[in-house]
C-alpha cells in the first residue's frame, strides 16, 4: 500500500512541478503527514525527484518556447549559493523546528496567493 502512495504523491508532485508551481510544496507535506516520514528525509526525497521532474519540464517548456535566458546567470549563482547555505542550516535543525518553519512558509505563501487573486479581481 505504501508504494501506491509513493506513486500517487509522485503523480501529484509531478503535475504541479511540471506546471511550474513547485511540486515539493505538496510532496513534502504529503510524505510527512500521510506516510509519517521525517521532514529532512522528505526534503531529500523531494530534491531527488525534483531533479528528474525539472529536466523533463525544462525540455517541454524549451520545446514550446516558454523560456527566457536574460538574467539567468545571477539567478543560478544566487540560487546555488543559498541552496547550499539552506541545506547546511536545515541539516543542523531539529525536525520539529524544520516542520514548523515549513508550515509557516506555506501559510505565508497562501496569504500572498490569496491577496494576489483579490488584486486581480479588482482590476
Amino acid at each position: 500500500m505504501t508504494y501506491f502512495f509513493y506513486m500517487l504523491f509522485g503523480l501529484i508532485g509531478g503535475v504541479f512541478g511540471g506546471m511550474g508551481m513547485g511540486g515539493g510544496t505538496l510532496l513534502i507535506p504529503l510524505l510527512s503527514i500521510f506516510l509519517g516520514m521525517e521532514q529532512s528525509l522528505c526534503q531529500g526525497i523531494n530534491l531527488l525527484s525534483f531533479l528528474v521532474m525539472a529536466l523533463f519540464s525544462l525540455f517541454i517548456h524549451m520545446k514550446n518556447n516558454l523560456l527566457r535566458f536574460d538574467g539567468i546567470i545571477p539567478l543560478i549563482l544566487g540560487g546555488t549559493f543559498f541552496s547550499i547555505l539552506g541545506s547546511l542550516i536545515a541539516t543542523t535543525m531539529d525536525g520539529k523546528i524544520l516542520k514548523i518553519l515549513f508550515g509557516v512558509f506555506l501559510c505565508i505563501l497562501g496569504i500572498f496567493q490569496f491577496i494576489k487573486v483579490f488584486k486581480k479581481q479588482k482590476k
Side-chain angles (χ1 to χ4, degrees):
M1 192 62 161
T2 303
Y3 288 106
F4 169 76
F5 285 114
Y6 286 145
M7 294 292 291
L8 178 64
F9 297 161
L11 172 77
I12 294 168
V15 168
F16 280 91
M19 297 166 94
M21 292 190 272
T25 307
L26 285 173
L27 188 59
I28 293 171
L30 289 173
L31 290 173
S32 63
I33 293 169
F34 294 105
L35 297 180
M37 294 181 174
E38 287 292 319
Q39 180 82 14
S40 55
L41 178 61
C42 296
Q43 288 177 266
I45 291 170
N46 176 60
L47 289 172
L48 282 173
S49 65
F50 170 76
L51 288 174
V52 178
M53 289 186 279
L55 286 174
F56 282 103
S57 297
L58 181 63
F59 173 75
I60 292 169
H61 283 75
M62 188 178 295
K63 185 179 167 185
N64 292 317
N65 294 322
L66 297 174
L67 297 178
R68 289 180 48 193
F69 293 98
D70 52 318
I72 195 74
I73 299 299
L75 185 63
I76 289 172
L77 293 175
T80 301
F81 174 76
F82 286 106
S83 292
I84 293 168
L85 182 64
S87 297
L88 292 172
I89 292 170
T91 56
T92 62
M93 279 187 177
D94 180 45
K96 287 183 181 181
I97 294 171
L98 202 55
K99 219 176 226 185
I100 291 168
L101 289 175
F102 189 69
V104 169
F105 166 74
L106 290 178
C107 289
I108 292 170
L109 186 65
I111 291 167
F112 276 104
Q113 289 296 326
F114 191 71
I115 291 169
K116 188 176 176 180
V117 168
F118 279 105
K119 282 185 177 181
K120 278 188 176 182
Q121 285 181 352
K122 285 185 179 182
K123 289 181 180 181

